[in-house]
Amino acid sequence: MKEEAGQVFQKRLERHHDELRWLYMELYGNDSMFAELCDHMWQFYTERKARLKEDDAGREKDGGWYRRNDMLGMMFYIDNFAGNMKGVEAKLDYISGCNVNYIHLMPFLDTPKGRSDGGYAVSDFRKVQENLGTMEDLESLTAACRERGIHVCMDFVMNHTSEEHEWAKKARGGDGEYMSRYFFFDNPEEPARYERTVPQVFPTTAPGNFTWLPDAGHYVMTSFYPYQWDLNYKNPRVFNEMMYNFLYLANRGIDIIRIDAVPYIWKELNTQCRNLPQVHTIVRMMRMISEIVCPGVLLLGEVVMEPEKVTPYFGTVEKPECHMLYNVTTMATTWHTVATRDVKLLKKQLDTVNALPKDYVFLNYLRCHDDIGWGLDYGTLRMDGMEERAHKKYLNDYFQGYAGGSNSRGELYNADPTTGDARFCGTTASMCGVEKALEEQDGAALERAVNLDLMLHAYMFLQSGIPVLYGGDEIGQLNDYGYKEDPDKAEDSRYLHRGPMDWKRAERAGDADTLEGKIFRGLGRLERIRKTEKVFVSCADTWTVETGNPSVLCMGRHYDGEQLIGVFNFSEEGKMVRLGEDGGSYLDLLSGEVCRTAEIRLPGYGFYYLKKR
Ligand code: GLC
């Protein structure tokens, strides 16, 4: 048996060895560190549980296992959702009841209270935050999920550590070996040279890219918050140790590793310190390392940038990097469409995505734990007279509820007075108008808001890839203004849409007469259609159709002889559209009625899933 296991590992290692060694030597030129990496890979392989290896083997054979049409994700903070890891385990029935088979547990590793950036400042990669549980609880949770066919995703925050990480503490104490794991400078000139070309991530909440440490007499590079110290991947010790952390976590039963802030992990003077070629070398090495030790694990890259910068993270067919990436421009363009009631830019964006190779798997979403940045195609918008600065202001005014007949509620994020730039925070339901309608006790407005919320989900589900809901959105969770009372959170408006799950409201999810029931049941119907109709597989042919109406989007999918078109009205007014010449008769999958595409009547914020007969 041992011999056999050794052969499996050897075969995988042989497949990748030359390329892995080549890339490693190119970056580090260090033979003995490479040998150490290989030894540790074997070590982690031998420690990997039989059950995980079984799934590795199955997934290796069925490389498309995550492209199925039944994949549906949900992301949540463990404490907000269910108190702790055990609490999440106790909620698995609820999760399955949401048709969800992929959960993203937001950062749960050890992090200093009040200086955590929502857990994205890790002080120990091998310890769970005490209030959330232990590594054993994590393993018990992932094992329970595995039995139910629920895949578990976690963040791997590899760009930086918390200032409380033991490396950082030693570095701060002046230990040169540890200082070399970060970027330390004993003079202000070098940081100033970087600042000339490096943009800012948090211009208001954490301006600049360096932090002065008076006790250490040094500056340290901190692209994010001052307590998040950037790791120096030029040091092979950093790369090796972080890969060991990655494999350690993979061995706890994690299925999807979200590589946090991946474009930032390599820095060079006189560059933007983003998307440098060495980043791709590192991600490619990670992909090979995981294919050798734990091929059942997927890499999800967090690249919140314009499309040209995102897709390179898929790598190439021969040299793949990430399995999955966020469809971030489509997400932002969706909200632009809500605010303008004009689908033109969205159609163009979907055409761009539809033209990409079908093996690319995108993670689709309406919102996540982060702000919405208005990264739109301003070149195209300019042709219609929309200037970037003015349009961003319009969108921010709109979603705060100030402009354009808006019913949205939410808050700005990192409003930068010098550039006039700001991003946006709010839950899906609040941005759709649910919060305002409830406040004003306006029944008709509430109905409109729910319709918009459901239409947006229906449209999102029709995109290729894996849709991911933010936990609570399935019952129309509203903005949570409580964060303002907590001094640790008050400065960071992203907490507005990270509020605790309201289980009292969730109890009403089964009742069709309640707000929660309308959204929950509405989503449930869509999710069931999505998982039964094979045209929803990620690799289907997809296209958009011109509807002749600026507010109505039409998308088609074709797979294995079946065809489905989705029609979505982004306006609160009823619309009538003709979809070309009469393309035959269709079955409306929601009502079960038969219709023809020659003339389709859509109510305000209405939509159809029409299956060709
Ligand atoms: C990612 C996370 C974000 C965090 C940042 C720094 O962008 O999504 O929440 O602030 O990384 O780790």
Side-chain angles (χ1 to χ4, degrees):
M1 186 62 204
K2 196 155 182 248
E3 194 39 44
E4 233 175 74
Q7 281 170 10
V8 171
F9 180 84
Q10 272 312 321
K11 236 173 93 191
R12 290 181 187 152
L13 181 63
E14 268 161 34
R15 183 151 78 92
H16 290 305
H17 180 272
D18 290 356
E19 190 195 345
L20 184 57
R21 183 167 193 286
W22 175 273
L23 293 179
Y24 193 94
M25 293 311 255
E26 186 182 56
L27 272 195
Y28 300 123
N30 189 325
D31 253 318
S32 61
M33 289 293 287
F34 181 71
E36 185 202 279
L37 176 67
C38 293
D39 281 351
H40 277 70
M41 284 197 289
W42 166 245
Q43 211 47 53
F44 280 106
Y45 175 79
T46 56
E47 284 162 21
R48 195 159 167 80
K49 288 198 180 107
R51 181 68 177 85
L52 301 182
K53 286 182 176 168
E54 222 176 88
D55 278 356
D56 286 339
R59 291 175 188 178
E60 239 179 347
K61 275 199 208 94
D62 172 18
W65 65 272
Y66 58 99
R67 301 196 180 117
R68 296 186 323 238
N69 48 315
D70 67 342
M71 293 294 278
L72 176 65
M74 181 180 273
M75 59 188 296
F76 49 77
Y77 274 97
I78 293 171
D79 51 351
N80 282 339
F81 187 73
N84 56 26
M85 297 255 179
K86 287 209 165 70
V88 175
E89 207 176 318
K91 292 285 185 208
L92 291 182
D93 278 343
Y94 176 80
I95 288 169
S96 297
C98 295
N99 301 302
V100 163
N101 56 5
Y102 158 157
I103 53 175
H104 175 184
L105 305 172
M106 297 302 291
F108 54 77
L109 294 175
D110 215 17
T111 184
K113 195 180 169 304
R115 295 174 80 73
S116 79
D117 184 23
Y120 286 97
V122 177
S123 52
D124 188 340
F125 290 91
R126 306 208 181 182
K127 184 167 181 266
V128 172
Q129 286 166 41
E130 263 159 31
N131 57 317
L132 302 180
T134 61
M135 274 297 165
E136 288 71 49
D137 293 343
L138 174 65
E139 287 193 60
S140 153
L141 174 60
T142 58
C145 286
R146 196 166 295 272
E147 289 320 308
R148 290 169 175 255
I150 298 175
H151 308 96
V152 181
C153 171
M154 78 173 284
D155 287 88
F156 185 52
V157 187
M158 68 183 287
N159 176 68
H160 42 261
T161 73
S162 153
E163 61 178 352
E164 296 284 310
H165 189 279
E166 62 159 312
W167 297 356
K169 287 197 220 157
K170 287 184 178 152
R172 191 171 211 144
D175 185 331
E177 141 69 358
Y178 289 90
M179 287 167 81
S180 74
R181 298 187 187 193
Y182 298 93
F183 295 88
F184 271 76
F185 303 98
D186 59 6
N187 61 79
E189 289 82 24
E190 252 182 294
R193 275 204 287 278
Y194 276 98
E195 294 287 16
R196 272 185 229 142
T197 53
V198 185
Q200 307 191 41
V201 183
F202 299 144
T204 325
T205 50
N209 289 288
F210 295 87
T211 299
W212 169 245
L213 306 172
D215 51 331
H218 275 81
Y219 290 88
V220 66
M221 186 186 278
T222 53
S223 304
F224 293 84
Y225 279 109
Y227 51 78
Q228 288 165 310
W229 294 10
D230 289 76
L231 284 168
N232 185 355
Y233 280 89
K234 285 186 183 163
N235 182 342
R237 177 53 60 205
V238 169
F239 176 78
N240 279 29
E241 294 295 333
M242 290 304 282
M243 288 307 103
Y244 308 154
N245 285 332
F246 157 54
L247 294 175
Y248 171 85
L249 294 166
N251 275 357
R252 309 280 74 74
I254 300 296
D255 301 282
I256 301 134
I257 293 275
R258 174 185 183 273
I259 317 176
D260 182 60
V262 59
Y264 300 80
I265 59 181
W266 192 275
K267 278 87 176 174
E268 291 289 344
L269 195 59
N270 298 322
T271 71
Q272 293 207 330
C273 294
R274 282 146 169 73
N275 306 304
L276 295 175
Q278 294 86 344
V279 173
H280 291 279
T281 305
I282 289 179
V283 180
R284 175 68 192 137
M285 288 199 286
M286 262 181 102
R287 173 75 179 245
M288 287 189 277
I289 290 168
S290 73
E291 284 185 5
I292 294 166
V293 181
C294 48
V297 171
L298 298 181
L299 301 180
L300 162 63
E302 191 223 359
V303 187
V304 179
M305 295 189 170
E306 52 272 45
E308 315 77 85
K309 298 199 174 127
V310 173
T311 46
Y313 286 87
F314 281 119
T316 63
V317 178
E318 297 79 31
K319 299 183 191 319
E321 296 177 22
C322 294
H323 298 82
M324 229 162 31
L325 294 167
Y326 288 85
N327 202 347
V328 55
T329 304
T330 302
M331 183 276 292
T333 310
T334 301
W335 291 107
H336 151 92
T337 311
V338 169
T340 58
R341 280 92 165 156
D342 185 340
V343 303
K344 191 167 160 189
L345 190 69
L346 185 58
K347 184 173 179 307
K348 183 168 183 217
Q349 166 62 19
L350 293 167
D351 288 342
T352 308
V353 175
N354 289 338
L356 294 170
K358 291 202 185 64
D359 330 310
Y360 289 5
V361 176
F362 280 104
L363 189 153
N364 297 308
Y365 60 123
L366 293 173
R367 63 99 166 191
C368 65
H369 67 297
D370 279 330
D371 48 289
I372 299 172
W374 301 118
L376 306 174
D377 174 359
Y378 290 100
T380 298
L381 287 177
R382 206 160 295 128
M383 292 192 270
D384 285 333
M386 278 177 258
E387 286 300 329
E388 175 165 349
R389 197 172 166 146
H391 189 57
K392 281 184 178 167
K393 183 175 181 318
Y394 173 75
L395 293 173
N396 283 324
D397 286 349
Y398 182 89
F399 286 107
Q400 285 177 97
Y402 302 154
S406 162
N407 294 306
S408 168
R409 285 277 194 270
E411 292 179 347
L412 299 187
Y413 179 70
N414 265 281
D416 184 343
T418 51
T419 60
D421 213 20
R423 284 120 73 179
F424 196 78
C425 297
T427 69
T428 306
S430 287
M431 289 178 73
C432 285
V434 173
E435 185 178 327
K436 183 177 175 212
L438 287 174
E439 234 169 62
E440 296 179 352
Q441 300 186 353
D442 181 339
L446 185 60
E447 200 182 316
R448 269 199 304 278
V450 170
N451 289 341
L452 173 57
D453 188 305
L454 290 175
M455 185 278 287
L456 290 179
H457 281 94
Y459 137 81
M460 196 255 290
F461 290 165
L462 198 67
Q463 291 167 38
S464 290
I466 304 182
V468 175
L469 308 171
Y470 193 95
D473 276 4
E474 75 283 6
I475 53 161
Q477 186 103 332
L478 304 179
N479 290 338
D480 172 27
Y481 299 88
Y483 80 97
K484 293 176 199 273
E485 313 304 320
D486 181 343
D488 291 343
K489 298 181 175 164
E491 292 299 306
D492 194 331
S493 51
R494 289 176 298 177
Y495 287 102
L496 180 70
H497 53 231
R498 295 176 181 172
M501 176 76 181
D502 189 336
W503 289 103
K504 277 248 130 28
R505 289 188 54 199
E507 278 168 21
R508 302 200 282 265
D511 180 349
D513 294 332
T514 64
L515 161 69
E516 295 76 15
K518 284 187 182 123
I519 297 182
F520 189 88
R521 293 163 61 108
L523 292 185
R525 287 169 72 195
L526 297 170
E527 290 151 0
R528 283 188 296 276
I529 292 175
R530 191 171 190 282
K531 66 180 179 185
T532 36
E533 297 294 334
K534 61 182 174 190
V535 285
F536 284 92
V537 291
S538 194
C539 56
D541 287 324
T542 48
W543 64 92
T544 64
V545 180
E546 180 55 58
T547 66
N549 188 302
S551 300
V552 181
L553 178 78
C554 177
M555 295 200 275
R557 298 185 71 83
H558 181 274
Y559 182 74
D560 196 19
E562 296 198 351
Q563 183 176 318
L564 185 129
I565 59 171
V567 196
F568 308 93
N569 181 2
F570 277 78
S571 154
E572 58 274 68
E573 321 249 299
K575 302 281 171 190
M576 188 82 122
V577 289
R578 285 170 191 280
L579 297 176
E581 79 297 356
D582 187 7
S585 81
Y586 285 80
L587 180 68
D588 175 348
L589 290 180
L590 285 142
S591 70
E593 277 164 31
V594 174
C595 66
R596 305 192 78 81
T597 49
E599 216 170 47
I600 298 179
R601 185 185 296 275
L602 286 137
Y605 295 137
F607 64 91
Y608 293 110
Y609 279 171
L610 303 174
K611 184 176 177 181
K612 185 147 194 183
R613 303 210 311 153

